[in-house]
């Protein structure tokens, strides 16, 4: 396991002020067990993760209510999500990349379908 000092010292000398700066910025937190060990932190990640999961649920729920559980990509991209601050295109790419959705070529263009288990 690498320590912060060893990782940061690859670019030069690391001083306690550098570590204090990262801690004060909220990017680093000390472990309670060992004061020489640190965790990296991402400030305000909770709201982003909440928006991501709610957007996924809303999009999947929307497609599940359709008769054939599919919809043209162009029409779907124009929809707005109520529960997520992230764009519909972001959620489409997320669910396509994770394998929950797939695209097939239809007569009017790409169609997004739910992948059956």
């Amino acid at each position: 396991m690498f320590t912060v000092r060893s990782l940061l010292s690859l670019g030069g000398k690391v001083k306690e002020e550098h570590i204090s700066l990262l801690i004060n910025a909220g990017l680093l937190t000390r472990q309670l067990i060992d004061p020489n060990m640190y965790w990296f932190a991402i400030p305000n990640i909770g709201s982003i993760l909440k928006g991501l999961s709610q957007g996924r649920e809303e999009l999947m729920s929307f497609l599940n209510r359709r008769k054939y559980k599919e919809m043209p990509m162009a029409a779907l991209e124009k929809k707005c999500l109520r529960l997520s601050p992230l764009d519909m295109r972001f959620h489409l790419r997320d669910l396509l990349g994770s394998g929950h959705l797939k695209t097939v070529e239809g007569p009017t263009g790409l169609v997004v379908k739910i992948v059956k288990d």
Side-chain angles (χ1 to χ4, degrees), residues 7 12 37 46 79-80 89 91 97:
L7 287 172
M37 301 296 284
K79 291 256 181 222
C80 290
R89 292 174 299 171
H91 290 290

Side-chain angles (χ1 to χ4, degrees), residues 10-68:
L10 296 174
K13 298 260 184 192
V14 176
K15 298 178 182 169
E16 192 62 37
E17 299 113 40
H18 298 126
I19 294 174
S20 296
L21 182 67
L22 291 172
I23 290 173
N24 290 338
L27 300 174
L28 205 60
T29 58
R30 288 188 195 269
Q31 285 188 3
L32 297 175
I33 298 169
D34 185 2
N36 293 324
M37 301 296 284
Y38 300 87
W39 282 323
F40 285 102
I42 303 172
N44 301 320
I45 192 70
S47 60
I48 294 170
L49 290 176
K50 182 179 176 185
L52 179 63
S53 64
Q54 286 181 333
R56 283 178 181 169
E57 287 178 28
E58 190 175 352
L59 178 53
M60 292 298 285
S61 171
F62 179 74
L63 285 172
N64 273 318
R65 289 192 307 259
R66 307 283 297 185
K67 184 175 181 180
Y68 297 108

